[in-house]
Amino acid sequence: MKKILIIVVLLAATKIYCKDLLMGTTTSLDDTGFLTEISKVLKADSGIELKWIAKGTGEALELGKRGDVDILFTHDPSREEKFIKDGYGTKRHPLMNNYFVFVTNKEKDIAAYPKSSVELLEKIKKENLIFVSRGDNSGTHSKERSLWKMAQIETDFKNYKEAGLGMAKTLNLTSELKGITLSDKGTYLKVKNKFGLEEIPLNEKESLKNIYSILELSNVDSSKKEDIEKFLKFMESKKAMKIIENYGKTEFKEPLFNVEK
Protein backbone atom coordinates (compact mmCIF):
# COMPACT_ATOMS: atom_id res chain seq x y z
CA MET A 1 0.00 0.00 0.00
CA LYS A 2 2.85 2.37 0.93
CA LYS A 3 4.60 1.62 -2.37
CA ILE A 4 1.45 2.45 -4.32
CA LEU A 5 1.07 5.70 -2.37
CA ILE A 6 4.69 6.67 -3.09
CA ILE A 7 4.21 5.97 -6.79
CA VAL A 8 1.05 8.09 -6.89
CA VAL A 9 2.86 10.96 -5.12
CA LEU A 10 5.81 10.73 -7.52
CA LEU A 11 3.51 10.72 -10.54
CA ALA A 12 1.66 13.73 -9.18
CA ALA A 13 4.93 15.54 -8.56
CA THR A 14 6.08 14.75 -12.09
CA LYS A 15 2.82 16.06 -13.51
CA ILE A 16 3.19 19.33 -11.55
CA TYR A 17 6.82 19.64 -12.62
CA CYS A 18 5.86 19.24 -16.27
CA LYS A 19 3.45 22.17 -15.86
CA ASP A 20 6.39 24.48 -15.08
CA LEU A 21 8.07 26.28 -17.97
CA LEU A 22 11.34 28.14 -17.44
CA MET A 23 11.96 30.95 -19.91
CA GLY A 24 15.07 32.96 -20.64
CA THR A 25 14.01 36.51 -21.40
CA THR A 26 14.94 40.18 -21.53
CA THR A 27 14.92 42.61 -18.62
CA SER A 28 12.47 44.88 -20.45
CA LEU A 29 9.71 42.24 -20.47
CA ASP A 30 10.27 41.76 -16.74
CA ASP A 31 10.71 45.44 -15.82
CA THR A 32 7.47 46.43 -17.56
CA GLY A 33 5.46 43.81 -15.66
CA PHE A 34 4.25 42.33 -18.95
CA LEU A 35 5.35 38.78 -18.13
CA THR A 36 3.62 38.89 -14.76
CA GLU A 37 0.37 39.82 -16.49
CA ILE A 38 0.74 37.15 -19.20
CA SER A 39 1.71 34.43 -16.72
CA LYS A 40 -1.45 34.97 -14.65
CA VAL A 41 -3.73 34.46 -17.64
CA LEU A 42 -1.64 31.55 -18.95
CA LYS A 43 -1.92 29.72 -15.63
CA ALA A 44 -5.68 30.31 -15.42
CA ASP A 45 -6.15 29.00 -18.97
CA SER A 46 -3.77 26.05 -19.01
CA GLY A 47 -2.42 25.42 -15.53
CA ILE A 48 1.09 26.13 -16.83
CA GLU A 49 3.30 27.97 -14.34
CA LEU A 50 5.57 30.29 -16.32
CA LYS A 51 8.82 31.19 -14.60
CA TRP A 52 11.61 33.24 -16.10
CA ILE A 53 15.20 34.40 -15.81
CA ALA A 54 15.50 38.01 -16.98
CA LYS A 55 18.85 38.92 -18.53
CA GLY A 56 20.13 40.90 -21.48
CA THR A 57 19.34 39.10 -24.74
CA GLY A 58 22.97 37.98 -25.12
CA GLU A 59 22.92 36.21 -21.74
CA ALA A 60 19.42 34.85 -22.39
CA LEU A 61 20.61 33.27 -25.65
CA GLU A 62 23.50 31.67 -23.76
CA LEU A 63 20.97 30.13 -21.34
CA GLY A 64 19.24 28.65 -24.38
CA LYS A 65 22.48 27.31 -25.83
CA ARG A 66 23.30 25.54 -22.58
CA GLY A 67 19.79 24.11 -22.24
CA ASP A 68 19.25 25.90 -18.93
CA VAL A 69 15.78 27.08 -20.01
CA ASP A 70 12.85 25.61 -21.94
CA ILE A 71 12.14 28.54 -24.23
CA LEU A 72 13.35 32.08 -25.03
CA PHE A 73 11.63 35.46 -25.43
CA THR A 74 14.17 37.99 -26.74
CA HIS A 75 14.57 41.05 -28.98
CA ASP A 76 17.57 40.89 -31.27
CA PRO A 77 16.51 39.53 -34.71
CA SER A 78 19.99 39.11 -36.21
CA ARG A 79 21.35 37.17 -33.24
CA GLU A 80 18.14 35.15 -32.97
CA GLU A 81 18.43 34.12 -36.62
CA LYS A 82 22.07 33.15 -36.09
CA PHE A 83 21.05 31.20 -32.97
CA ILE A 84 18.70 29.11 -35.11
CA LYS A 85 21.18 28.81 -37.99
CA ASP A 86 23.80 27.50 -35.55
CA GLY A 87 21.40 24.72 -34.53
CA TYR A 88 20.43 25.92 -31.06
CA GLY A 89 16.85 26.77 -32.00
CA THR A 90 14.21 25.38 -34.34
CA LYS A 91 11.80 28.26 -34.93
CA ARG A 92 11.43 31.98 -34.30
CA HIS A 93 8.00 33.49 -33.61
CA PRO A 94 7.98 37.32 -34.02
CA LEU A 95 5.19 38.28 -31.62
CA MET A 96 5.20 41.96 -30.75
CA ASN A 97 7.14 45.19 -31.01
CA ASN A 98 7.71 48.65 -29.70
CA TYR A 99 10.39 51.20 -30.55
CA PHE A 100 13.75 52.21 -29.22
CA VAL A 101 13.89 55.76 -27.91
CA PHE A 102 16.63 58.11 -26.75
CA VAL A 103 15.83 59.53 -23.32
CA THR A 104 17.33 61.98 -20.87
CA ASN A 105 16.57 63.69 -17.57
CA LYS A 106 13.42 65.81 -17.91
CA GLU A 107 15.30 68.86 -16.64
CA LYS A 108 17.32 68.94 -19.86
CA ASP A 109 16.19 71.12 -22.78
CA ILE A 110 15.15 68.48 -25.31
CA ALA A 111 14.44 71.20 -27.91
CA ALA A 112 18.21 71.65 -28.19
CA TYR A 113 18.70 68.14 -29.56
CA PRO A 114 18.68 67.20 -33.28
CA LYS A 115 15.75 65.30 -34.77
CA SER A 116 17.71 62.41 -36.31
CA SER A 117 19.60 59.64 -34.52
CA VAL A 118 22.77 60.24 -36.56
CA GLU A 119 22.85 63.95 -35.79
CA LEU A 120 22.04 63.28 -32.15
CA LEU A 121 24.94 60.83 -31.82
CA GLU A 122 27.23 63.30 -33.60
CA LYS A 123 26.26 65.99 -31.07
CA ILE A 124 26.84 63.61 -28.15
CA LYS A 125 30.33 62.76 -29.38
CA LYS A 126 31.31 66.29 -30.45
CA GLU A 127 30.19 67.90 -27.19
CA ASN A 128 31.29 64.97 -25.00
CA LEU A 129 27.82 64.65 -23.50
CA ILE A 130 27.19 61.87 -20.99
CA PHE A 131 25.89 58.79 -22.76
CA VAL A 132 24.99 55.77 -20.63
CA SER A 133 25.21 52.49 -22.55
CA ARG A 134 23.65 49.28 -21.28
CA GLY A 135 27.05 47.73 -21.93
CA ASP A 136 25.70 44.26 -21.24
CA ASN A 137 25.42 42.59 -24.66
CA SER A 138 21.64 42.92 -24.49
CA GLY A 139 19.30 43.52 -27.43
CA THR A 140 19.21 47.22 -26.58
CA HIS A 141 23.01 47.36 -26.35
CA SER A 142 23.23 45.57 -29.72
CA LYS A 143 20.88 48.14 -31.28
CA GLU A 144 22.84 51.01 -29.75
CA ARG A 145 26.10 49.70 -31.20
CA SER A 146 24.48 49.36 -34.62
CA LEU A 147 23.35 53.01 -34.45
CA TRP A 148 26.88 54.25 -33.62
CA LYS A 149 28.20 52.11 -36.48
CA MET A 150 25.58 53.46 -38.90
CA ALA A 151 26.57 57.00 -37.89
CA GLN A 152 30.27 56.04 -38.34
CA ILE A 153 31.11 57.33 -34.88
CA GLU A 154 33.58 55.74 -32.45
CA THR A 155 32.52 55.61 -28.80
CA ASP A 156 35.94 56.60 -27.51
CA PHE A 157 34.91 59.85 -25.85
CA LYS A 158 35.34 60.40 -22.10
CA ASN A 159 31.67 60.56 -21.16
CA TYR A 160 30.65 57.31 -22.86
CA LYS A 161 29.81 55.11 -19.86
CA GLU A 162 28.92 51.41 -19.81
CA ALA A 163 26.48 50.58 -17.04
CA GLY A 164 26.43 46.78 -17.30
CA LEU A 165 22.88 46.91 -15.94
CA GLY A 166 19.33 46.00 -16.92
CA MET A 167 17.12 48.57 -18.63
CA ALA A 168 15.33 50.03 -15.61
CA LYS A 169 18.55 50.42 -13.61
CA THR A 170 20.28 51.98 -16.62
CA LEU A 171 17.44 54.49 -16.93
CA ASN A 172 17.75 55.34 -13.25
CA LEU A 173 21.50 55.91 -13.64
CA THR A 174 20.93 58.01 -16.75
CA SER A 175 18.56 60.27 -14.83
CA GLU A 176 20.99 60.63 -11.93
CA LEU A 177 23.86 61.55 -14.28
CA LYS A 178 21.62 63.76 -16.43
CA GLY A 179 22.89 61.82 -19.40
CA ILE A 180 21.32 60.22 -22.48
CA THR A 181 20.61 56.57 -23.12
CA LEU A 182 18.80 54.28 -25.55
CA SER A 183 15.81 52.41 -24.16
CA ASP A 184 12.97 50.26 -25.35
CA LYS A 185 9.86 52.42 -25.14
CA GLY A 186 7.98 50.02 -22.88
CA THR A 187 10.46 50.22 -20.00
CA TYR A 188 10.86 53.97 -20.52
CA LEU A 189 7.09 54.54 -20.21
CA LYS A 190 6.93 52.32 -17.14
CA VAL A 191 9.62 54.23 -15.18
CA LYS A 192 9.75 57.72 -16.73
CA ASN A 193 7.78 59.43 -13.95
CA LYS A 194 9.58 57.55 -11.21
CA PHE A 195 13.01 58.53 -12.53
CA GLY A 196 12.12 61.92 -14.04
CA LEU A 197 12.86 61.10 -17.68
CA GLU A 198 11.78 62.50 -21.03
CA GLU A 199 12.01 61.16 -24.57
CA ILE A 200 14.11 63.05 -27.12
CA PRO A 201 11.74 63.25 -30.13
CA LEU A 202 13.18 62.10 -33.47
CA ASN A 203 11.81 62.30 -37.00
CA GLU A 204 12.33 58.58 -37.60
CA LYS A 205 10.63 55.42 -36.47
CA GLU A 206 11.06 52.27 -38.58
CA SER A 207 14.85 52.26 -38.14
CA LEU A 208 14.24 52.13 -34.37
CA LYS A 209 11.69 49.31 -34.42
CA ASN A 210 12.18 46.76 -31.65
CA ILE A 211 10.80 43.26 -32.35
CA TYR A 212 10.27 40.69 -29.59
CA SER A 213 10.25 37.02 -30.62
CA ILE A 214 9.77 33.66 -28.95
CA LEU A 215 12.41 31.07 -29.85
CA GLU A 216 11.84 27.33 -29.71
CA LEU A 217 14.96 25.44 -28.63
CA SER A 218 16.49 22.39 -30.27
CA ASN A 219 17.30 20.40 -27.14
CA VAL A 220 14.28 20.40 -24.85
CA ASP A 221 13.24 17.72 -22.41
CA SER A 222 10.47 15.65 -24.02
CA SER A 223 8.34 16.12 -20.89
CA LYS A 224 8.18 19.87 -21.67
CA LYS A 225 7.17 19.71 -25.32
CA GLU A 226 3.42 19.51 -24.82
CA ASP A 227 3.42 22.48 -22.46
CA ILE A 228 5.66 24.45 -24.82
CA GLU A 229 3.15 23.86 -27.61
CA LYS A 230 0.33 25.03 -25.34
CA PHE A 231 2.35 28.11 -24.37
CA LEU A 232 3.03 29.00 -28.02
CA LYS A 233 -0.62 28.46 -28.94
CA PHE A 234 -1.67 30.72 -26.07
CA MET A 235 0.84 33.48 -26.96
CA GLU A 236 -0.48 33.54 -30.53
CA SER A 237 -4.13 33.44 -29.42
CA LYS A 238 -6.63 36.29 -29.62
CA LYS A 239 -6.63 36.48 -25.83
CA ALA A 240 -2.85 37.08 -25.69
CA MET A 241 -3.04 39.53 -28.61
CA LYS A 242 -5.64 41.52 -26.67
CA ILE A 243 -3.35 41.66 -23.63
CA ILE A 244 -0.50 42.92 -25.81
CA GLU A 245 -2.67 45.56 -27.50
CA ASN A 246 -4.01 46.87 -24.19
CA TYR A 247 -1.12 46.47 -21.76
CA GLY A 248 -0.27 49.92 -20.40
CA LYS A 249 -3.08 51.79 -22.17
CA THR A 250 -4.95 52.79 -19.04
CA GLU A 251 -1.85 54.03 -17.23
CA PHE A 252 0.12 55.55 -20.12
CA LYS A 253 -2.60 56.36 -22.69
CA GLU A 254 -0.81 54.05 -25.13
CA PRO A 255 0.18 50.37 -25.08
CA LEU A 256 3.73 49.44 -24.09
CA PHE A 257 3.84 46.95 -26.96
CA ASN A 258 2.16 46.39 -30.33
CA VAL A 259 1.23 43.12 -32.01
CA GLU A 260 3.80 42.32 -34.70
CA LYS A 261 1.92 42.07 -38.01
Side-chain angles (χ1 to χ4, degrees), residues 95-97 240-242 244-245 257-261:
L95 186 71
M96 61 192 198
N97 68 68
M241 294 298 106
K242 190 173 181 180
I244 294 168
E245 289 170 347
F257 304 97
N258 312 293
V259 173
E260 176 66 11
K261 305 297 184 184

Side-chain angles (χ1 to χ4, degrees), residues 41-53:
V41 184
L42 174 68
K43 186 173 182 180
D45 272 23
S46 65
I48 294 172
E49 184 83 40
L50 182 65
K51 299 177 181 178
W52 57 89
I53 301 171

Side-chain angles (χ1 to χ4, degrees), residues 4-19:
I4 294 172
L5 183 61
I6 290 170
I7 291 169
V8 169
V9 170
L10 287 173
L11 286 172
T14 302
K15 188 175 181 181
I16 293 168
Y17 175 75
C18 289
K19 285 290 182 183

Side-chain angles (χ1 to χ4, degrees), residues 172-184:
N172 189 19
L173 179 62
T174 299
S175 180
E176 290 175 354
L177 296 175
K178 292 183 169 57
I180 299 169
T181 194
L182 184 74
S183 173
D184 70 283

Side-chain angles (χ1 to χ4, degrees), residues 79-128:
R79 279 195 288 182
E80 291 161 2
E81 288 164 4
K82 186 177 187 302
F83 182 88
I84 291 173
K85 185 179 179 181
D86 290 345
Y88 296 108
T90 59
K91 193 171 182 181
R92 175 175 174 262
H93 302 262
L95 186 71
M96 61 192 198
N97 68 68
N98 59 22
Y99 292 86
F100 289 107
V101 291
F102 286 93
V103 301
T104 188
N105 186 288
K106 67 178 181 180
E107 295 176 9
K108 305 289 279 187
D109 179 15
I110 61 170
Y113 294 112
K115 301 299 183 185
S116 81
S117 59
V118 171
E119 291 176 358
L120 176 60
L121 295 176
E122 287 174 344
K123 179 181 176 69
I124 292 168
K125 171 72 180 279
K126 184 179 179 180
E127 299 179 17
N128 191 31

